[in-house]
Amino acid sequence: MLRHVETPRDIVDYLEELLQGRFWLVGRTKSTDTPHEELPYSLRAILRSFTIAVKDADADSPQLNTFRQSMAQLIATIGDSQFLESSSSRSEDGADGILDPSEYEQERFLHRLLGDPHKHPPEDGCSDFDTFSARATVIALAAAANGVNMIVRCVTASGKKETLFKAKDSIKGVGHVFTFTLWLVPPPTAVAEMLRQVNTREDFESRKPISGPLPILGGIVEVSRIVAKQIDCQHTAEEVVALWTKAVEIGSGCTWEADFAPHRDHNSLRCKISDSWFLSNASVPADLTDLANAYFQAPRSDPRHLLARKAGSILHATLGYSNYDSFPLDRFRKTMDFILVALFTGCIGALASNAQDRLSFYGWTGRTTELLGNAESIVYPGLPLNTIILTVARMWGG
């Protein structure tokens, strides 16, 4: 199951702990209880080769295809759940929030799944496993795809229960059916209390936390849909795809320039878009120009107005409204936010690869607020190289 969600290096760490008798998930002693002999360092290379061989052998398996289909449904169901993000926040000492999307929850799920289902039956009103962790859900889907008799479901923001996976045996009622529920809304009292009690226990060794959203793996349709949902861009699915496509296309034709800018006590190399590219806007109606000029609350000389007018020209080229006076201001601002994220994606893509068709498949983990802030900086003062590299990784690297 871990081969779907962990890197080979992390899987090797798990295998070493298993060989040393420190793997707590299968009931072994904790590493602090008794001393353990260190394994030969050369064994890591053997374990890594074994791990990579297993992953390669699984590349075209029916299990992996089933897992990918379930993952696509999970990502579409989650979208941008504000409850998932807020309830998953947690300080280093674990005092804030209920649970976090870290290896703690992943280990808790594996411990419950591999244990005796009759030893710890679910409490009234609870599933075999309830969680706020999307990453634990990924492992549950991997387990289900590999033959575990279970039902994986998600309670959405509307309160609706979406079944992400249902084993064939569960329909026939053969054996114990493990039920797994991901909550995207505040759960009932019984579930919430159970989760709070779990969070105060010290059953698991702490590991490095894994934070951040799940990667959105897909093309223009999938990414534009999720970004529009995050921003609350109030357009039809067709309009969203058209706006994204046009903005990325325009952005990919930008001209970048680099210069050294003062930063604290030294000069820093920064990259920004040439002013001449912003000035090559298509003609737009005067009422739309007025709306674009008011998008940034800044003096008239602020260079960010060039970016807003560029986004406005994309809006007009795509939607082609004859009049913008009646365009609701809140809806206009959210549309501009969406266009700026897409435009910024195209601009970054121009640096990432000369072959734009290679960037049509995303591994998206970008946060819209962060991307909007970076989009403003491509006009002035520019972006440092480390930000550009990190942005590329978050757009296409997962």
Side-chain angles (χ1 to χ4, degrees), residues 250-273:
I250 296 295
S252 63
C254 71
T255 304
W256 284 89
E257 56 186 32
D259 197 5
F260 284 95
H263 179 68
R264 296 181 181 175
D265 58 346
H266 64 281
N267 289 333
S268 172
L269 180 65
R270 289 181 174 266
C271 301
K272 71 184 191 71
I273 305 296

Side-chain angles (χ1 to χ4, degrees), residues 291-302:
L291 284 173
N293 288 336
Y295 175 76
F296 289 111
Q297 298 179 351
R300 294 182 60 181
S301 59
D302 193 300

Side-chain angles (χ1 to χ4, degrees), residues 13-33:
D13 289 340
Y14 277 114
L15 292 175
E16 282 193 329
E17 290 183 2
L18 180 63
L19 293 173
Q20 289 177 309
R22 297 191 294 138
F23 202 60
W24 176 240
L25 301 184
V26 291
R28 301 295 182 89
T29 57
K30 294 185 181 181
S31 59
T32 55
D33 293 339

Side-chain angles (χ1 to χ4, degrees), residues 7 39 86 90 113 132 179 207 221 246 269 302 319 342 357 381 388 391:
T7 64
L39 297 174
S86 62
R90 176 175 172 167
L113 180 67
F132 300 129
T179 55
R207 293 179 178 272
V221 174
K246 187 67 174 179
L269 180 65
D302 193 300
L319 302 181
D357 57 337
I388 293 174
T391 302

Side-chain angles (χ1 to χ4, degrees), residues 51-128:
T51 300
I52 294 175
V54 172
K55 291 173 74 72
D56 289 345
D58 186 57
D60 297 317
S61 68
Q63 298 97 309
L64 184 59
N65 290 332
T66 300
F67 170 72
R68 285 172 174 168
Q69 293 172 7
S70 300
M71 272 293 296
Q73 186 178 355
L74 170 65
I75 292 170
T77 302
I78 289 178
D80 181 41
S81 172
Q82 296 299 321
F83 177 74
L84 182 69
E85 182 175 339
S86 62
S87 63
S88 297
S89 62
R90 176 175 172 167
S91 62
E92 292 184 1
D93 60 1
D96 300 325
I98 298 177
L99 292 171
D100 66 343
S102 67
E103 291 190 28
Y104 174 88
E105 272 296 271
Q106 296 179 35
E107 291 188 8
R108 189 172 75 86
F109 165 65
L110 287 173
H111 186 265
R112 189 64 180 268
L113 180 67
L114 298 174
D116 184 353
H118 303 291
K119 188 175 181 180
H120 300 288
E123 299 179 14
D124 292 339
C126 301
S127 305
D128 285 298

